[in-house]
Amino acid sequence: MAKRPLTIPDSELDVLKVLWDRGQATVREVLETLRAAGRQWSYATVATLLDRLETKGVVTSDRSELAFVYRPAITTQEVRQKRVNNLVEKLYQGETGLLVLHLLKSHPLDARQAKEVQSVLEEMTGDASRKKGNDSSPSA
């Protein structure tokens, strides 16, 4: 049977973000951090979410002490990549360019980010030489 793709719902992502920020945490420490951020979850809810994340292989736990200590087993970049891939497949039928166009049109970039995007596009299309004034077309 084919392995199902990893899915991390927003609630699990909230818990994972705490672990990324802290490096490691107990259920109580995660709960306190989330409550400070406005989440009104119970201890049992956080414990359940951590258990789900561990079952998925996204976090590991040290169960040698009374309070289990959880650590992330996946990086933020890995999760971003999986979620963006899922978004492209589900909303843009695999057309990455459509997502990029949507983002560029609906979410303004600061000047530094715009230059970085422009540079990436120039590399992809081979236009870097024209930008630098090295256009070798004959002059009239």
Side-chain angles (χ1 to χ4, degrees), residues 127-137:
D127 288 345
S129 62
R130 271 187 250 159
K131 180 183 178 200
K132 295 176 183 171
N134 295 335
D135 191 3
S136 59
S137 62

Side-chain angles (χ1 to χ4, degrees), residues 8-18 20 53 79 83:
I8 301 175
D10 290 346
S11 57
E12 292 176 9
L13 187 59
D14 289 344
V15 170
L16 195 51
K17 285 177 182 177
V18 173
W20 285 328
L53 288 167
V79 171
R83 287 187 74 145

Side-chain angles (χ1 to χ4, degrees), residues 16-17 20-21 74-82:
L16 195 51
K17 285 177 182 177
W20 285 328
D21 289 344
I74 191 169
T75 66
T76 56
Q77 186 57 36
E78 289 171 303
V79 171
R80 285 179 185 145
Q81 187 66 49
K82 289 177 188 309

Side-chain angles (χ1 to χ4, degrees), residues 34-55:
L34 291 169
R35 282 189 175 166
R39 288 282 196 179
Q40 296 305 313
W41 288 345
S42 70
Y43 183 95
T45 298
V46 174
T48 298
L49 292 171
L50 282 164
D51 186 53
R52 286 181 190 164
L53 288 167
E54 187 171 24
T55 299

Side-chain angles (χ1 to χ4, degrees), residues 104 108-123 128 131:
L104 288 172
L109 301 176
D110 64 31
R112 181 191 56 77
Q113 293 168 331
K115 283 184 181 183
E116 191 172 344
V117 168
Q118 185 175 20
S119 175
V120 168
L121 290 173
E122 288 169 353
E123 281 181 34
K131 180 183 178 200

Side-chain angles (χ1 to χ4, degrees), residues 81-93:
Q81 187 66 49
K82 289 177 188 309
R83 287 187 74 145
V84 167
N85 288 349
N86 187 280
L87 179 69
V88 168
E89 288 304 315
K90 288 189 183 262
L91 291 180
Y92 296 95
Q93 293 72 47

